[in-house]
Amino acid sequence: MRIDVVTLFPHWFDWFRTQRHVTNALQLGHELELVDLRETTPLKAGQVDDTPYGGGAGMVIRVDVVEAALEGRYGAAPPPHRTIALSPGGRQFDDALAAELAAEPALTLLSGRYEGFDERVNEHLATDVVSIGPYVLSGGELAAMVVTDAVIRKLPGALGHEESAVEESFSEALEGAPEYPHYTRPFEWRGHPVPEVLLSGDHARIREWRLEQSRGRRPGTP
Ligand code: ADE
């Protein structure tokens, strides 16, 4: 899979690219590339934004600047894969969308800044508009990292063999519920022991207990 992130701050991803599951994915042949909006802007002095029509605070990233970045990367035709604009007003990102995106051969993530993109980016250049939650970040970079992280975890081999994304929170294996609790040594800590069932060695009982715990953690469960 290839993920291209279009951003004004490519260096924000330097640290992210060194994280183990990301390096695992890159070693497996997946790609994570940064596309700097300022490198292809058709405007003078690296300008990428402009004041909003109708007035108001803040600056808006111009549609022609995003178009130039996409053309610089993919040529005149639109990218032949999903292009996702990150915006607080978009479709809420969740595990099902992460799994859907992980099945794509390539993705382009558009990270906005300031007041966000000119609406024509969302309508005509992006195929999807995605939000990572109902709050406003100072830019789409962290949102792009969240999406990339959750998608990369789903790629076979990215987590290494001792970890697995199959049975984790919100997965199908757990019927979409949050994950069950985990315990390790010491068996008893300040009067709080580990649930006995986990020491029973009875795998069917442990599995049933974990599923029950998981179901009990669904939001709204008393
Ligand atoms: N950009 C700013 N806030 C955001 C959010 N909550 N989700 C996605 N992109 C954003």
Side-chain angles (χ1 to χ4, degrees):
M1 167 174 225
R2 194 182 72 213
I3 301 180
D4 290 341
V5 183
V6 179
T7 171
L8 284 169
F9 298 100
H11 60 272
W12 275 46
F13 291 80
D14 293 349
W15 163 84
F16 182 70
R17 286 176 60 91
T18 65
Q19 299 311 296
R20 192 177 53 116
H21 60 299
V22 181
T23 56
N24 283 349
L26 297 179
Q27 271 164 16
L28 288 168
H30 302 295
E31 294 167 74
L32 174 60
E33 299 289 332
L34 284 309
V35 178
D36 187 343
L37 275 172
R38 285 195 209 280
E39 276 184 9
T40 45
T41 179
L43 309 175
K44 279 191 232 124
Q47 185 190 342
V48 293
D49 55 357
D50 226 319
T51 50
Y53 279 117
M59 301 292 275
V60 178
I61 300 195
R62 289 174 53 135
V63 61
D64 49 352
V65 167
V66 178
E67 179 184 44
L70 294 176
E71 285 187 1
R73 182 79 177 150
Y74 309 109
H81 53 256
R82 282 167 86 168
T83 299
I84 298 169
L86 293 151
S87 166
R91 167 181 172 187
Q92 172 83 55
F93 187 62
D94 60 13
D95 194 69
L97 182 53
E100 192 183 309
L101 297 180
E104 298 283 335
L107 294 175
T108 297
L109 304 181
L110 305 175
S111 312
R113 275 268 144 184
Y114 320 122
E115 291 306 301
F117 296 112
D118 182 301
E119 189 58 22
R120 291 166 291 184
V121 171
N122 301 335
E123 284 176 0
H124 303 292
L125 296 180
T127 55
D128 304 69
V129 183
V130 168
S131 166
I132 62 159
Y135 41 78
V136 182
L137 301 165
S138 44
E141 285 73 21
L142 289 173
M145 278 186 229
V146 166
V147 170
T148 304
D149 190 283
V151 167
I152 284 180
R153 290 176 61 76
K154 304 269 184 205
L155 300 176
L159 294 185
H161 33 257
E162 79 282 11
E163 288 176 76
S164 160
V166 172
E167 194 173 285
E168 64 179 7
S169 288
F170 318 117
S171 61
E172 269 176 43
L174 295 181
E175 302 161 355
E179 200 173 0
Y180 46 79
H182 297 279
Y183 296 88
T184 186
R185 281 180 277 272
F187 171 69
E188 185 167 320
W189 175 77
R190 300 193 193 284
H192 304 289
V194 169
E196 280 291 344
V197 60
L198 296 177
L199 286 91
S200 67
D202 181 339
H203 296 294
R205 250 183 84 211
I206 292 174
R207 166 116 203 97
E208 196 41 47
W209 179 86
R210 285 179 165 166
L211 267 176
E212 267 166 33
Q213 293 287 315
S214 197
R215 288 182 193 127
R217 288 179 160 197
R218 274 185 199 284
T221 309

